[in-house]
Structures are given as structure tokens and as C-alpha cells.
Amino acid sequence: MSSISKHTVLVVAGGRGTRMGGQRPKQFLELAGRPVLMHTLEAFARWDATADLVVVLPADQQEAWQQLCEEHAYRQPHRLVVGGETRFHSVQNGLSAVACAADGLIAVHDGVRPLVAPSVIAECFAAAADGGAAVPVVPMIESVREVSADGRSHPVDRERLRVVQTPQVFRADVLRAAYRQPYDPRFTDDASVVEASGVAVCLVPGNRENVKLTTPMDLVLAERLIESLK
């Protein structure tokens, strides 16, 4: 167990990178000269250098990560936790490895979202401190259609839709209680787990650059964004 921290960040990094078209896990792919996951951790360290950073990785990826840290002389303090069968179980494992007061705050973030803005992190933590649960979202900018079982489709009012990002931040007692529920395949993120436990989630404006790196095009975009910030 770590010492108690008001800001705990669980970085869940279990992707295999199949949609990237390669064998290397996407969190280990090179971005601006270093693995994606290093950029992600540093986004939180820049916001709060004292935050407890916990990386949840599959057991068979931990040695490779440690080797990458040696190769890049990476010294950002963080701890490793073994991931589970699903994202739900990985977050459960992460929660079991952190010491956090009931009114402390825990963020859960995708390891392949390296471009989250410090202001978004701060706003999510502030909203969670007030209401117990907060997630960043951005407006849907493209037209959307819903397809029915018979193959027909109809338009959906995009003004009512939001794209959900991470970090999703929760008061520790809220998140721990939610993750004592049995696993349900309908849990797509931490907000859905918390809402199933009866807690409302506050929406916070996210930043459009906070894209989840899933395809090769996403990686190219992230590279250009990082270059533009230099």
C-alpha cells in the first residue's frame, strides 16, 4: 500500500493494439520519440507532481514496460499493478492496491490518451470533489444514425449526444462501492459502473485533443499535435 494521497490516478493500459495493425501493445508504441504511456503519465505529473500514479498492465507486459523505462531512462515515479480479465477487473485490481481516504479522489484514465489537458484533469477532480463523480465529454460533431434490428436506420439528434473521455474521477468511497457490484458486460466505462450503483455522474467539458489512440491515423494526429505544442 502507498501512503494516503488526495489524488490517485489509475492508468489502465491493457490494450493489445490489434486495430493499430501491429504486434506491439499500443501503449508501448513510439510517440514523439517515447512510448505513448510515458506521455500519459507525464500529463498527470505535470498537473500534480505528488499524485499517486498506478499503472495497471497485463502480467505479460510488465517486463517489457520496465525494459522501456530503462531504455528511455524514465524516472517518473509510478507503481505497477497486474491487470485483470476485463477493464472492469483491471480497475478492481488497481483499487485493491491503493490507500485512499474515503473522501479522497481517484481518477481512472486510459493509458492511450496522452493528450489530456491539465485544465480538464483539474476540472474533473473539482467536480468529483463536489458531487462524487465526474467525467469529461465533448460534443458530437458528426451526423449520427441509429440502425435497428431490421437493418433500417434513422437520424439521431446529435445535440443530445456527448463523446465520453477520461479521466473519469470519483470520490474513493463511491468508486469502491460501485466496484463491489458483480461484473456486467454492459459496463463500458467507470461511469457506467458508478451509475449502476445509483450515483449520478457530472459532465465536465473535455478537450478535443484528448483522443484515444486506437488506429494508425490517431497516432499520426497525436504526433502532429505534440509537435504543434513545442
Side-chain angles (χ1 to χ4, degrees):
M1 290 285 187
S2 69
S3 59
I4 293 177
S5 170
K6 286 293 285 184
H7 296 151
T8 299
V9 182
L10 301 182
V11 178
V12 183
R16 297 290 175 177
T18 53
R19 280 176 285 185
M20 280 289 184
Q23 296 298 314
R24 199 173 207 186
K26 56 187 177 181
Q27 57 268 17
F28 296 164
L29 293 176
E30 187 172 296
L31 175 63
R34 292 184 302 159
V36 168
L37 185 53
M38 292 181 184
H39 293 278
T40 301
L41 290 173
E42 287 173 356
F44 288 90
R46 283 192 297 271
W47 170 69
D48 178 6
T50 69
D52 183 20
L53 302 180
V54 179
V55 178
V56 186
L57 270 176
D60 61 359
Q61 294 182 11
Q62 297 207 0
E63 183 178 353
W65 170 245
Q66 291 169 338
Q67 289 176 350
L68 286 169
C69 288
E70 287 299 318
E71 290 172 13
H72 291 270
Y74 189 68
R75 299 293 179 258
Q76 175 62 50
H78 64 281
R79 297 183 291 124
L80 293 181
V81 172
V82 175
E85 181 181 354
T86 67
R87 189 182 191 281
F88 177 91
H89 298 101
S90 291
V91 174
Q92 279 187 328
N93 290 355
L95 287 173
S96 69
V98 300
C100 188
D103 63 348
L105 299 171
I106 301 176
V108 186
H109 188 67
D110 297 323
V112 289
R113 287 187 188 268
L115 295 172
V116 59
S119 60
V120 171
I121 299 172
E123 288 185 34
C124 287
F125 270 90
D130 287 340
V135 301
V137 299
V138 292
M140 174 68 70
I141 59 175
E142 298 186 17
S143 295
V144 181
R145 297 186 70 86
E146 181 178 5
V147 180
S148 60
D150 62 6
R152 295 184 179 183
S153 68
H154 64 272
V156 177
D157 182 6
R158 66 185 177 193
E159 295 299 321
R160 300 173 56 194
L161 302 178
R162 297 294 182 270
V163 178
V164 179
Q165 301 179 332
T166 64
Q168 301 187 359
V169 185
F170 310 92
R171 203 171 62 232
D173 58 345
V174 168
L175 191 60
R176 291 189 188 281
Y179 271 91
R180 284 195 285 270
Q181 298 176 100
Y183 170 68
D184 188 321
R186 291 174 295 180
F187 293 153
T188 58
D189 62 359
D190 308 286
S192 60
V193 179
V194 168
E195 284 181 317
S197 73
V199 176
V201 174
C202 174
L203 302 185
V204 172
N207 65 294
R208 184 69 64 181
E209 301 83 3
N210 184 20
V211 63
K212 185 176 182 180
L213 305 186
T214 305
T215 68
M217 184 176 292
D218 296 331
L219 199 62
V220 171
L221 175 61
E223 188 91 33
R224 291 180 178 174
L225 288 170
I226 288 176
E227 286 295 322
S228 71
L229 296 174
K230 289 183 178 179

